[in-house]
Amino acid sequence: MIQQQEVMTCPQYGQRQVTLICGPPGSGKSTLARQLHNHVLELESITAETWRLRLKLFGRACYRIGRDPLAQAAVVRGAPTHAERDHHAKLCKPSKVIVLLTPADVCHRRVAERNRPSVENEHAAIDAWWRAWNAEHAEDLETTRTW
């Protein structure tokens, strides 16, 4: 259950329907993205041999979405800091940025239930996300409990 979401609208980008969804692993980013859009771009969904190449391909895809005046997509990225969210927003030019603030214990439970080979890395990533998260620039976001 998502307990809190923060939403920032970006009207300067017109009628585009691009949503940047951020949050820790297990917060519900992918689930929400699939509910909102038919096209979902996730770093994990890009297959490549190396992490660096994955990041490069992800960045290019974000850039293409950002340049498409009719884009209809969700971009999923962790981005716990304002600087990271701002970087991805500059690439994909979202009409909305959503930060899911699902509590760490809920994220840990969800990750454990997935039973993926990378479960230990995901648990570490949850803790790292919450250490990096702070409410800086939170005044730029509207808080809502529904989506």
Side-chain angles (χ1 to χ4, degrees), residues 39-91:
H39 179 69
V40 176
L41 176 64
E42 297 180 76
L43 186 60
E44 294 78 19
S45 69
I46 296 174
T47 58
E49 294 299 318
T50 66
W51 183 249
R52 182 174 295 192
L53 181 55
R54 288 180 188 183
L55 284 174
K56 190 174 185 177
L57 291 172
F58 184 83
R60 286 181 183 169
C62 286
Y63 180 81
R64 283 194 307 272
I65 289 170
R67 299 306 170 260
D68 183 349
L70 303 175
Q72 304 284 318
V75 176
V76 177
R77 195 71 172 107
T81 67
H82 174 73
E84 290 175 87
R85 289 187 301 276
D86 190 50
H87 169 74
H88 292 294
K90 285 178 182 174
L91 287 175

